[in-house]
Amino acid sequence: YGTTWDELEARLRVHGPVQMVGRSFGVMKLKLGHHLHDFSLPRRESKQGRGHRGFQVEADPDLSEREAAARRDFTINALMSDPLKNEVIDYFNGREDLRQGILRHTSPAFAEDPLRVLRGFQLAARFSCTMAPETVELCRSMFDDFHTLPVERVWTEWEKWATQSFLPSAGLVVLQETGWIRHFPEIAALDGLPQDPEWHPEGDVLTHTAHCLDALVAAPEWAATPAGERRILAMAVLAHDFGKAPTTVKGERRGQIRWISPRHDSEGGPLADQFLIHIGAPNIVIETVRPLVEQHLHHLSWTGDGPSAASTRRLARRLHPATIDQLCRVMEADSRGRPPLDPADTAGRIATLSQAAQQLQLEQSAPRPILQG
């Protein structure tokens, strides 16, 4: 506050290199060691057109704190800290909303940027929040503005959901409540899709998927998983049952008429591709997620004590660039996503596959070709 762009730049350059990448938004970046820090001037934004980019931004050093905070999306993001006085400045009751785990829009200006709905989606998952009813209604009124969002920004929010979620299912709840789930038809098709209650007492396919995602991030190894692998595993678990939408029918299984989904593993591969392309995922994510979806039932494929060495080698080749280790983690999440069923039997088969891959040194890669060149 109370300084100009040139004065701020001059003060920061004393401490290290300054990047001017965000000047149009009144933001500059200072690099200190390996870390980048954002510094910004208070700014006024006026809506000039539809969508995420339709803003005119003008820095205003004399803007009041309250006016600046009112431009933030949610009350929990409108909190300020005064480091000299060691005080939290809270104009919009953000601390109480944070304590209660509520996402509430700060002002009617929220509706000017449709990306804020997807920010709410990933913030709910990252901080185990629910969305305030009045904010849900506002998000519903913004439904038609989704198509104005650049796909790279859509992917940014989905990637945060995939890599930083503490409770991924909370994000899916936001998509359901706001109606924005319809912008992602592969997910929307799971909502209300029936499953046989003997095998899936937890409910429909979307409910099962939500349990699987929460089980994935609750696993002890998740904390040490790099972000690049987290996004692959989360997207694979999200998409693992996409194939049930086109394949679920009433049919005979074990002498009874049940809801069954034959070939849903193989049918899910193209749908996973379709979804990931739609949200702007990088090619490496698309190429890795598809084989994990298509092979997520492999642990049910053998008879006897376990898979043969030959079948394990073939599996590793089919999975590439995904790995058997990643597949086992997707399978484990799938197995634990059917409460209150005990996943012990399935867990044993997954462990058998993992051991077979380790013995062949194939848990992290496909076998190398015998002939090369």
Side-chain angles (χ1 to χ4, degrees), residues 10 16 25 39 42 47 64 74 132 134 176 202 207 237 254 257 277 281 285 344 363:
F25 287 95
F39 290 82
K47 190 72 169 173
S64 72
F74 299 101
E134 62 271 27
Q176 282 181 290
E202 72 280 4
T207 301
V237 172
R254 297 183 183 175
I257 300 299
I277 291 170
V285 173
E363 70 275 18

Side-chain angles (χ1 to χ4, degrees), residues 25-275:
F25 287 95
V27 178
M28 61 181 72
K29 294 180 180 291
L30 171 67
K31 187 172 184 180
L32 296 175
H34 297 292
H35 301 283
L36 279 176
H37 301 267
D38 286 359
F39 290 82
S40 67
L41 300 180
R43 61 183 187 256
R44 296 185 183 275
E45 299 168 342
S46 56
K47 190 72 169 173
Q48 302 295 319
R50 292 189 66 189
H52 176 68
R53 293 173 170 168
F55 290 93
Q56 181 176 338
V57 179
E58 182 180 357
D60 182 356
D62 299 320
L63 192 69
S64 72
E65 292 175 353
R66 185 182 181 88
E67 287 178 291
R71 300 299 304 180
R72 303 292 292 174
D73 48 10
F74 299 101
T75 59
I76 66 172
N77 283 337
L79 294 169
M80 296 181 175
S81 172
D82 185 335
L84 302 182
K85 298 179 180 179
N86 194 28
E87 291 179 354
V88 174
I89 303 167
D90 182 7
Y91 291 107
F92 299 99
N93 205 32
R95 277 188 291 187
E96 181 61 19
D97 283 344
L98 188 60
R99 187 184 69 80
Q100 295 189 26
I102 296 175
L103 285 176
R104 193 188 316 274
H105 63 284
T106 304
S107 75
F110 181 95
E112 295 175 355
D113 187 357
L115 188 68
R116 289 168 171 166
V117 181
L118 293 184
R119 279 180 52 75
F121 147 74
Q122 53 95 351
L123 286 171
R126 288 166 59 191
F127 299 105
S128 302
C129 289
T130 58
M131 187 170 277
E134 62 271 27
T135 305
V136 168
E137 288 305 310
L138 187 57
C139 291
R140 284 180 169 274
S141 72
M142 301 161 63
F143 180 86
D144 292 337
D145 290 331
F146 172 78
H147 74 275
T148 67
L149 294 175
V151 68
E152 63 270 14
R153 297 308 302 271
V154 172
W155 168 246
T156 296
E157 304 307 319
W158 272 101
E159 185 174 35
K160 289 178 181 177
W161 172 84
T163 59
Q164 300 178 36
S165 286
F166 181 78
L167 191 69
S169 61
L172 299 184
V173 170
V174 167
L175 291 183
Q176 282 181 290
E177 291 179 339
T178 60
W180 276 53
I181 195 171
R182 300 200 304 275
H183 289 304
F184 311 103
E186 296 82 9
I187 303 176
L190 308 182
D191 194 4
L193 188 65
Q195 302 184 107
D196 187 272
E198 181 179 342
W199 299 323
H200 285 281
E202 72 280 4
D204 65 21
V205 182
L206 186 61
T207 301
H208 166 65
T209 301
H211 282 302
C212 294
L213 287 162
D214 290 346
L216 175 71
V217 304
E221 61 269 24
W222 184 255
T225 302
E229 187 168 8
R230 283 186 176 194
R231 63 184 186 173
I232 288 168
L233 293 171
M235 290 300 174
V237 172
L238 174 65
H240 81 281
D241 275 349
F242 279 179
K244 284 187 175 179
T247 61
T248 295
V249 294
K250 278 286 186 80
E252 190 274 333
R253 183 72 57 87
R254 297 183 183 175
Q256 297 183 35
I257 300 299
R258 307 170 179 264
W259 289 110
I260 59 173
S261 307
R263 306 177 312 282
H264 77 267
D265 46 354
S266 58
E267 293 289 329
L271 292 173
D273 281 357
Q274 182 175 292
F275 167 73

